[in-house]
Amino acid sequence: MTMRVVEQTRTEETGTDEAVDTGESVDLSELPNLEGGETPRCECDHGTETEYIPCGRRARWRVSIDCNCGEGHPRVVEILCGRCLRTLRRTQGREAITARRI
């Protein structure tokens, strides 16, 4: 199953939020399942530049990361363990990260 990606933008003239279709699709089978009986695992990349190797520890945090480059990239959401969240806060800065307990 796939789902269309929609980005929320704020209209300055009216002060309201609008949903804008980005034209991208996401395969829902690739997203982590947080509702099943199985424990979610940390998806922080511990691999090389060419290979993705997830951390695999028990994930306890749903983390939203804001882009700091200034080009207006969309927010990234990851499922992380406590150790990877601490590392991310050190490298990205606390103001760019919103963490919610799973």
Side-chain angles (χ1 to χ4, degrees):
M1 175 184 241
T2 61
M3 179 177 269
R4 300 288 296 176
V5 177
V6 176
E7 186 175 296
Q8 187 172 354
T9 59
R10 187 151 194 75
T11 305
E12 297 299 324
E13 298 166 356
T14 61
T16 59
D17 292 336
E18 284 184 8
V20 178
D21 189 353
T22 63
E24 298 177 36
S25 294
V26 175
D27 185 3
L28 295 180
S29 65
E30 294 177 4
L31 297 175
N33 183 7
L34 301 178
E35 296 178 2
E38 124 184 8
T39 305
R41 296 290 166 194
C42 181
E43 55 188 31
C44 183
D45 188 4
H46 287 248
T48 62
E49 288 185 24
T50 58
E51 185 179 30
Y52 171 72
I53 302 173
C55 170
R57 289 188 189 92
R58 182 170 185 226
R60 297 182 187 272
W61 300 96
R62 179 183 179 272
V63 182
S64 300
I65 307 163
D66 293 325
C67 178
N68 291 330
C69 78
E71 293 187 20
H73 293 114
R75 180 177 291 181
V76 176
V77 178
E78 293 187 4
I79 308 300
L80 301 177
C81 66
R83 184 181 295 177
C84 292
L85 176 60
R86 280 191 302 274
T87 303
L88 183 67
R89 281 185 170 152
R90 270 184 270 153
T91 60
Q92 296 287 328
R94 290 183 170 271
E95 58 277 348
I97 297 170
T98 304
R100 292 183 180 84
R101 195 153 185 87
I102 294 178

